Amino acid sequence: MRFLLDDEQREFARTLDGMLGSYDTMGAVRAWASGDHGPGRALWDRLAQAGVFALAVPEQHDGLGPLPLELAVAFTELGRHAVPGPVVETVAAAALLDRLGDEAAATDWLPVIASGKTVASLCLLSPDSPYALDADAADAVFVVDGDTLRLADSAGPVQPSADPARRPARPVGGTVLARGPEVVAAAAYAADVAALATAAQALGLGRALLARTVEYVRQRTQFGVAIGSFQAVKHRLADTLLALEFAQPLVHSAALALASGRASGREIAAAKVRAGEAAYAASRTALQLHGALGYTDELDLSLWIRKARPLRDAWGTPAACRARVLQGADI
């Protein structure tokens, strides 16, 4: 199986990296955390123009996809730049509506999701997950409760999160859009898409943390030398790099499996747990090697560090992903 990206996919990644790097993404993150969605929505429009959301929408509904591998490439860059907002939930909502088999709902919602005109959130209700991410900022919040899909009327108060730019809220009320076993099947597929996108986002986040930490240890000195020359620091950074390097092919493999229609869910769960744990380890490395500076809210690094654990746990905790990987395994 081929795990290397082709020239077009690599160019897509470079384009997104350049576009996000030229925007005040950190300013958008801080504004989003305070409840000001203006800069984040402006960034959202740029992402839509680059075709990011269209990757989850089929061509007959003005999209480019579904293209899971390209989606993973895009979300790696979104994670690298700590893009705020329900980006994962929007593409997951598109996946659900595409798989639902309701042509009217697909026609109403998929074109506006692909174009970026609609910011969507998705909540698969369970005892462990009664909240929708950024429901206060979303134009549409889709809620799956068992075999029922509804469009929420409103959202409750924003709940606290380790990442201030992640703003979960409980969806309230709603209009029923569909009911039946097709909702359950579509929701399961949407959860797989969300887990894959989150894994890619975590991978990009981990790489950003590693890059910034390497840059910092080259500059910070003790006893007259850069701390990056210390053997213990080199080993810690090498372990972080290895974890991220092992996660990347799993993410790409899961995307290819999803694209081929043969994904059992185990590949996606393996990618999610590996990428999530690697990003979390990168955040701990960054925090340790930056010392007390890493705790400083004013430092942009903290915006990456505080995303790592929520991303690790979103759309499949490590325990849940490991359990899924082991389902059906001959042990």
Side-chain angles (χ1 to χ4, degrees):
M1 182 177 290
R2 179 181 173 83
F3 294 111
L4 297 176
L5 300 178
D6 62 28
D7 291 341
E8 187 174 348
Q9 290 159 345
R10 287 194 291 269
E11 181 58 31
F12 180 45
R14 284 193 291 268
T15 298
L16 285 177
D17 183 35
M19 181 192 75
L20 293 169
S22 66
Y23 190 84
D24 181 17
T25 310
M26 293 300 97
V29 173
R30 293 186 186 280
W32 195 277
S34 70
D36 176 7
H37 304 127
R41 290 297 294 253
L43 180 57
W44 192 280
D45 290 341
R46 289 193 177 196
L47 294 174
Q49 291 170 16
V52 170
F53 304 114
L55 295 171
V57 175
E59 292 182 9
Q60 64 265 34
H61 293 294
D62 300 337
L64 301 171
L67 296 171
L69 183 53
E70 284 72 13
L71 202 65
V73 170
F75 272 78
T76 300
E77 297 309 314
L78 267 57
R80 192 190 306 274
H81 291 274
V83 171
V87 286
V88 168
E89 288 68 24
T90 292
V91 297
L96 183 145
L97 292 165
D98 180 31
R99 284 299 179 101
L100 190 60
D102 185 328
E103 187 59 28
T107 300
D108 286 344
W109 292 106
L110 290 179
V112 292
I113 288 175
S115 67
K117 294 177 181 177
T118 292
V119 173
S121 190
L122 175 65
C123 173
L124 306 185
L125 279 180
S126 71
D128 298 328
S129 179
Y131 299 107
L133 182 66
D134 295 314
D136 63 322
D139 303 306
V141 179
F142 297 95
V143 181
V144 176
D145 187 359
D147 67 349
T148 301
L149 171 65
R150 57 186 171 86
L151 182 65
D153 291 330
S154 59
V158 174
Q159 302 299 305
S161 172
D163 174 8
R166 290 179 69 87
R167 297 166 57 83
R170 190 186 298 271
V172 178
T175 304
V176 174
L177 300 180
R179 181 181 282 118
E182 64 275 7
V183 172
V184 178
Y189 176 74
D192 281 344
V193 171
L196 173 65
T198 304
Q201 205 175 13
L203 178 63
L205 178 84
R207 291 200 177 280
L209 283 165
L210 178 61
R212 283 159 177 76
T213 305
V214 168
E215 181 181 3
Y216 179 72
V217 299
R218 286 172 173 167
Q219 298 172 356
R220 181 184 171 189
T221 60
Q222 284 185 358
F223 311 114
V225 296
I227 65 169
S229 65
F230 299 161
Q231 198 72 8
V233 172
K234 290 180 180 179
H235 285 174
R236 186 67 184 266
L237 293 171
D239 288 344
T240 302
L241 175 61
L242 281 175
L244 293 166
E245 288 294 309
F246 276 110
Q248 180 169 300
L250 287 177
V251 172
H252 290 172
S253 175
L256 289 172
L258 194 63
S260 69
R262 63 166 183 79
S264 66
R266 292 172 62 185
E267 299 99 325
I268 294 170
K272 175 64 174 59
V273 69
R274 177 68 79 170
E277 295 282 33
Y280 184 55
S283 73
R284 292 173 63 86
T285 296
L287 185 60
Q288 181 184 29
L289 296 184
H290 278 81
L293 189 64
Y295 288 98
T296 306
D297 282 343
E298 290 76 14
L299 186 71
D300 285 346
L301 181 80
S302 67
L303 300 177
W304 277 273
I305 289 176
R306 297 177 71 176
K307 287 182 182 295
R309 184 160 184 169
L311 281 181
R312 186 195 69 172
D313 295 340
W315 295 102
T317 63
C321 288
R322 289 190 176 98
R324 193 176 187 190
V325 170
L326 292 174
Q327 284 178 359
D330 185 14
I331 57 174

